[in-house]
Amino acid sequence: MTEKQYGALVEQMSPKSPMWRDCLNAFWIGGLICTLGQIFLNCYTNLGLDKNGAGTAASMSLVALSALLTGLSLYDDIAKYAGAGTLVPITGFANAIAAPAVEFKTEGFILGVGAKIFTIAGPVIVYGLAASVVYGVIYWMYTLL
């Protein structure tokens, strides 16, 4: 069997992806998460927090809710339905940290949770920080001109 024949066979046997439905689900679930964040922001503002404080409290609330849903094994069910709609907001990052902690808790706090908690989110943090340094240096050099 040639590589071209194999590719045709794989395409024929693979289930068709409902791309438009998946995009729509990601869009509305991601929008729902952002709407929930806006509701938190408005509530904290109405409680008397300034704009920065309300934003911090809203972000913390979304992270806490995401971690709670991850611990209850509900976040993965939502993510299966919503796809990238749950991965892009801050809740996806909280899930990426909480999920390994839940998965490896049986191995103990040091070798389980402590060692594995950043297996998914660790590279994101490292490359995000590295990119911010590079962009910061480029911006600094640009301002000197």
Side-chain angles (χ1 to χ4, degrees), residues 1-138:
M1 181 178 285
T2 67
E3 188 174 324
K4 194 173 189 178
Q5 290 171 330
Y6 179 73
L9 179 65
V10 167
E11 188 170 326
Q12 177 187 4
M13 300 299 286
S14 298
K16 302 297 179 213
S17 174
M19 184 176 64
W20 292 108
R21 187 187 74 204
D22 291 347
C23 288
L24 182 64
N25 287 341
F27 178 77
W28 80 267
I29 295 286
L32 192 64
I33 292 170
C34 294
T35 301
L36 181 63
Q38 186 65 46
I39 291 170
F40 281 143
L41 184 68
N42 292 348
C43 288
Y44 289 126
T45 302
N46 290 336
L47 289 174
L49 292 176
D50 64 341
K51 185 177 180 180
N52 287 335
T56 301
S59 296
M60 290 171 54
S61 297
L62 287 173
V63 167
L65 183 60
S66 175
L68 176 67
L69 291 175
T70 299
L72 296 173
S73 298
L74 296 174
Y75 198 89
D76 289 339
D77 295 336
I78 297 168
K80 285 177 190 172
Y81 182 74
T86 58
L87 298 177
V88 176
I90 193 171
T91 55
F93 188 72
N95 174 262
I97 292 177
V102 171
E103 183 178 347
F104 295 105
K105 70 180 177 185
T106 58
E107 295 181 24
F109 284 112
I110 299 200
L111 295 177
V113 175
K116 307 287 185 173
I117 196 167
F118 290 110
T119 55
I120 297 172
V124 174
I125 294 170
V126 168
Y127 288 110
L129 285 172
S132 68
V133 169
V134 170
Y135 297 143
V137 168
I138 291 170

